[in-house]
Amino acid sequence: MTLADALRMTADEVVALVGGGGKTTAMFRLAREVVDGGGRAITTTTTRIFGAQIALAPTHIPAADATRERIAAALAGHGHVLVIGPTEAGSGKAEGVSLDLFRRLRDWFPDVCLLNEADGSRMRPFKAPADYEPVIPTQTTLVVPVVGADVLGKPLDDVNVHRPELVSALSGAALGTTITPEIVARVLAHPEGGRKGVPAGARVIVLINKVENLPDRALARETAERLLRDRAIHSVVLGAVRGEKPVLEVCMR
């Protein structure tokens, strides 16, 4: 099963990935799967993206040059194009695109899958959003909160978690506490956590990534079971996005 199949994606889906633990890798994997299935994909971000991550796309177009004609040509040649904001000369890091450009991308290419990384995690596997994030466009039809399973059993601190104080506030767990399935599920299902900014009508499917790194799947399964107690969560995918088999299990209510 592909990751796109596990997420029940349509050819024209508008996807926002949020959280930590492999969002960018998941986004580019989904784009490859879409193209392999005969579709076309535009990837982008409404936050920031690193230079090394930009290189994962077959081609990219800066927002300043993102005309309908140029993007159409890139899609015709590659099936997948990354659209980014202005790039910092020193770091190679690129800014996100504006919501206006995102809307135009959807209007120009209504039959293309549009994949968006909607917040950042500073390479941590788990996070809670700040007041200014995530930036999820209203056109989004599927929101995928992502968490790395490798955070389970680790301390709730800034080594393992992006904004641990916010995770503490949302979950009720004290800083330094061992991170459990209950803590992860509380944050990902919280309307100010993993479900923050979800547009009306959009599906929410959680991706627990890096499950292959656990000694067994018990903690990941417990996390999924707790998440599915919230009716707003449609399903939970236990995944290994970097692996040959990206989907290990799909947990449903």
Side-chain angles (χ1 to χ4, degrees):
M1 178 184 287
T2 67
L3 183 58
D5 287 338
L7 297 175
R8 299 184 176 186
M9 283 172 46
T10 60
D12 60 350
E13 199 85 67
V14 183
V15 184
L17 296 107
V18 300
K23 293 190 306 293
T24 308
T25 303
M27 180 173 74
F28 285 119
R29 175 140 203 162
L30 288 169
R32 290 195 303 272
E33 292 177 354
V34 167
V35 174
D36 289 346
R40 298 180 297 164
I42 297 173
T43 49
T44 190
T45 180
T46 48
T47 175
R48 290 186 174 190
I49 189 167
F50 293 100
Q53 296 170 325
I54 294 170
L56 296 173
T59 186
H60 69 273
I61 296 175
D65 302 323
T67 63
R68 183 175 186 172
E69 294 73 22
R70 186 164 180 185
I71 295 172
L75 288 171
H78 302 278
H80 167 208
V81 59
L82 170 67
V83 181
I84 56 174
T87 303
E88 297 175 358
S91 67
K93 184 185 297 184
E95 298 290 334
V97 301
S98 68
L99 291 176
D100 179 64
L101 176 54
F102 193 97
R103 177 189 55 78
R104 281 183 280 144
L105 292 173
R106 177 75 305 188
D107 290 345
W108 290 341
F109 304 101
D111 58 344
V112 170
C113 182
L114 190 48
L115 298 151
N116 172 41
E117 186 171 352
D119 66 3
S121 63
R122 294 191 179 178
M123 310 302 287
R124 306 293 199 277
F126 186 34
K127 69 164 289 184
D131 56 1
Y132 55 83
E133 60 177 359
V135 183
I136 301 179
T138 57
Q139 297 84 2
T140 301
T141 56
L142 170 62
V143 177
V144 183
V146 184
V147 64
D150 51 335
V151 81
L152 292 165
K154 301 287 181 61
L156 176 52
D157 57 25
D158 58 9
V159 173
N160 303 293
V161 177
H162 185 36
R163 301 197 185 92
E165 70 285 353
L166 296 182
V167 168
S168 174
L170 293 180
S171 67
L175 291 172
T177 299
T178 298
I179 297 171
T180 63
E182 182 178 10
I183 291 171
V184 172
R186 280 184 179 179
V187 173
L188 293 188
H190 199 287
E192 292 301 316
R195 294 199 294 113
K196 185 180 178 185
V198 175
R203 309 186 320 279
V204 179
I205 299 179
V206 173
L207 170 61
I208 303 176
N209 191 29
K210 306 181 189 177
V211 173
E212 76 279 15
N213 294 330
L214 298 177
D216 61 57
R217 299 180 191 175
L219 290 177
R221 287 172 176 153
E222 182 185 344
T223 306
E225 187 273 330
R226 289 179 177 275
L227 282 162
L228 290 170
R229 294 175 188 175
D230 191 311
R231 303 298 297 182
I233 306 297
H234 285 61
S235 58
V236 180
V237 177
L238 308 189
V241 171
R242 290 186 181 274
E244 183 178 342
K245 295 180 178 180
V247 179
L248 303 178
E249 291 183 35
V250 178
C251 304
M252 303 186 71
R253 193 169 290 102

